[in-house]
Amino acid sequence: LANTKIVAPFRGRVATKAAEVGQFIRTGAELISLEAIDEAEVVGSFQPQAFAGLLRAAIGSKFQNLGSVDATQVINFMKESDISASIELEFAGGIASYPAELVRFRGGIDNDTGTLGVAVRVKDPLIANSALNRPPLEIGGFVSLILETTLKDGAISVPRSALQQGDDGKPFLYTADADDRLAVSGVKPGSIVGDSIIID
């Protein structure tokens, strides 16, 4: 016993204890269960249309069909397209933001919710940062997963309410001309992302 060491395979905290001091332990018996504290994983659910809109905004005209991309390659595809992730936690009337790393795309649509899943990883979730007004991110709490990208191929994003439709059924936007007067500009609308619409 003096030469015996039991070493946890990761940094964690004890969730449950199943053994006592002096107890005989058989091979395969559970001693404790640990919760990792070096990182936490969050899986966010997205409507397929919104997810496809994000990819279209990130890579512009190269985007064809999400279904043609293998699920195991989606995360690399997202990273190459400058899609970044963060976690937001509402607390005491404020919102704390935590940087996250894209880890895994859950291929297939959830039968119950009709959504696609994206998993991200947050480093050192239990370490508070008072300078950033960031409390510890407790495991099991409710958070929001935010995916962001910059627009490519000269596309712009406008509020959905800004898009108009003419008598001929063609979409347009009101834009300011050189004399600061409103002018009608025909546009080609793209994907809808939240309250915005991408103009191709």
Side-chain angles (χ1 to χ4, degrees), residues 77-127:
F77 187 64
M78 291 172 68
K79 289 178 180 177
E80 291 168 5
S81 302
D82 294 328
I83 295 176
S84 61
S86 61
I87 297 297
E88 287 188 352
L89 170 70
E90 290 188 33
F91 73 103
I95 296 179
S97 182
Y98 306 77
E101 173 194 359
L102 292 163
V103 175
R104 188 175 65 257
F105 175 72
R106 188 182 66 203
I109 296 177
D110 186 281
N111 291 333
D112 296 327
T113 63
T115 58
L116 297 167
V118 177
V120 299
R121 182 179 298 132
V122 178
K123 295 288 187 184
D124 295 315
L126 297 179
I127 297 178

Side-chain angles (χ1 to χ4, degrees), residues 45-57 145-149 151 157-163 190-198:
S45 299
F46 296 88
Q47 292 295 328
Q49 304 93 315
F51 194 75
L54 176 75
L55 289 181
R56 180 181 294 279
L145 170 55
I146 310 297
L147 299 178
E148 295 178 297
T149 188
L151 296 173
S157 172
V158 299
R160 290 171 65 177
S161 58
L163 187 66
S191 301
I192 296 173
V193 182
D195 293 330
S196 299
I197 189 164
I198 307 301

Side-chain angles (χ1 to χ4, degrees), residues 153-173:
D153 294 346
I156 60 170
S157 172
V158 299
R160 290 171 65 177
S161 58
L163 187 66
Q164 306 293 320
Q165 192 170 20
D167 294 336
D168 56 0
K170 293 182 180 177
F172 70 89
L173 292 172

